[in-house]
Structures are given as C-alpha cells and as structure tokens.
C-alpha cells in the first residue's frame, strides 16, 4: 500500500510540476486549509510472515485489514466521489504500512499487541485450508493463543505502541 516517508507521515497535497494539469475544480487549490500536511497520531500496520507466497501475502493482507475497517470505525474516512458525482466506498483515512518478519517476529508482535490491548486481526496458517468465515473462526477457536501458527497480524493504535509491536520487522517490499 503506502510507504511511510518518515517518523511522522505527511503527504504533500499540491501536485508536482511534472503532474498533468487537473480538470474541474481542485479542492486543494480552492481551500488552502487542505494544503496543510496531514499527520496521524495513530498507525495501521500489517505484519506478514516472510515465507508466504505472493498470492498468500495479498490474500492475508486483504483479510486482515477488513477486520480493522469493520471493527474500528475511526480508521475509515469519508466516501469518495469523482468529478461527475459518482460515489465510491470510503477507505482507510491513513496509510497501511506492511511489514514482514520471521515466525518468531510475528509471535513476539502478537504478544506485544495483546499486552497493549491494541485492536488486532490475525490470520493463521489453518485459514488457507478453510473456505468460509464460519470455518475460519472455528479453526482459530480450536487453537490455544500460545500455539497459533500466525502468518499475519494487523494492528491499529497510537504510533508509538504500534511501532513497539512491529519492532524487529522490516518494511515489506
């Protein structure tokens, strides 16, 4: 998804000179307040086990972030509309940072997320063999917390708390 440009994510609102001119009304140019950099006190992070196949990485990421979007309403922004007024669903209001690490890194991150009581979603290796939500929940319910074979974890919370959870992981590339 988006890479984090530095310790405090900010995103320039003004297009670069190389960007083609926009047609219609540009809300950024019409409202100077929209040109201010956006900074977030919170972070959304997904941590994937490094040995996943590419299709698994995509599948796990999609499932994990759906858990955050449905359970933590403040992460979702306003609906979108194009210049013709066609509406689109709202999406996260901030970047999702995707990390990767070893099985041990994932297990440690899970423990940290639990100890900090951060909103979290998990994906275990067992979920690759199920085909529906009912069976997914049953597969997780059948395994003790310490024995979960984690392949993915999503967390949301204050920047510093999430940074501590993903410490030791590297940005996915």
């Amino acid at each position: 998804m988006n890479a984090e440009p530095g310790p405090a994510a900010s995103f320039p609102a003004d297009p670069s000179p190389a960007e083609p001119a926009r047609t219609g009304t540009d809300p950024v140019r019409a409202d100077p307040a929209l040109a201010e950099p956006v900074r977030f006190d919170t972070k959304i992070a997904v941590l994937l086990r490094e040995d996943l196949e590419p299709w698994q990485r995509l599948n796990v990421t999609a499932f994990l972030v759906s858990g955050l979007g449905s359970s933590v309403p403040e992460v979702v922004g306003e609906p979108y509309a194009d210049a013709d007024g066609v509406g689109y669903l709202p999406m996260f209001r901030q970047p999702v940072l995707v990390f990767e690490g070893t099985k041990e890194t994932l297990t440690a991150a899970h423990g940290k997320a639990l100890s900090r009581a951060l909103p979290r979603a998990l994906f275990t290796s067992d979920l690759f063999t199920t085909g529906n939500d009912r069976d997914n929940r049953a597969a997780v319910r059948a395994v003790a917390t310490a024995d979960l074979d984690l392949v993915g974890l999503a967390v949301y919370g204050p920047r510093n708390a999430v940074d501590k959870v993903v410490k030791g992981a590297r940005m996915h590339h």
Side-chain angles (χ1 to χ4, degrees):
M1 297 209 156
N2 289 329
E4 183 176 38
S10 65
F11 302 93
D14 212 2
S16 68
E19 187 174 327
R22 295 181 186 168
T23 58
T25 303
D26 184 340
V28 171
R29 294 183 196 284
D31 184 354
L34 293 175
E36 292 296 317
V38 177
R39 301 192 189 285
F40 298 101
D41 295 332
T42 57
K43 184 180 272 190
I44 300 171
V46 172
L47 177 55
L48 303 171
R49 203 163 75 191
E50 64 187 1
D51 61 349
L52 297 179
E53 295 293 326
W55 73 267
Q56 292 173 316
R57 291 170 186 258
L58 295 170
N59 182 269
V60 171
T61 301
F63 269 90
L64 289 172
V65 297
S66 72
L68 291 178
S70 63
S71 299
V72 187
E74 66 267 22
V75 301
V76 179
E78 297 296 320
Y80 287 71
D82 63 26
D84 294 323
V86 175
Y88 302 93
L89 295 172
M91 296 185 283
F92 290 135
R93 65 181 183 85
Q94 66 190 89
V96 175
L97 303 172
V98 181
F99 297 85
E100 63 183 352
T102 64
K103 182 176 182 172
E104 295 76 19
T105 301
L106 210 59
T107 299
H110 182 242
K112 293 173 195 174
L114 291 174
S115 72
R116 288 170 173 73
L118 295 175
R120 63 207 167 268
L122 64 86
F123 199 104
T124 66
S125 63
D126 295 330
L127 303 188
F128 289 126
T129 63
T130 59
N132 61 71
D133 186 52
R134 182 196 65 224
D135 293 342
N136 287 351
R137 285 182 284 110
V140 172
R141 190 178 312 110
V143 181
T145 304
D147 298 327
L148 292 168
D149 185 17
L150 298 168
V151 298
L153 179 69
V155 294
Y156 169 75
R159 293 183 70 77
N160 60 347
V162 173
D163 287 342
K164 289 176 182 171
V165 168
V166 298
K167 186 175 179 154
R170 61 193 173 281
M171 288 294 291
H172 185 275
H173 58 292

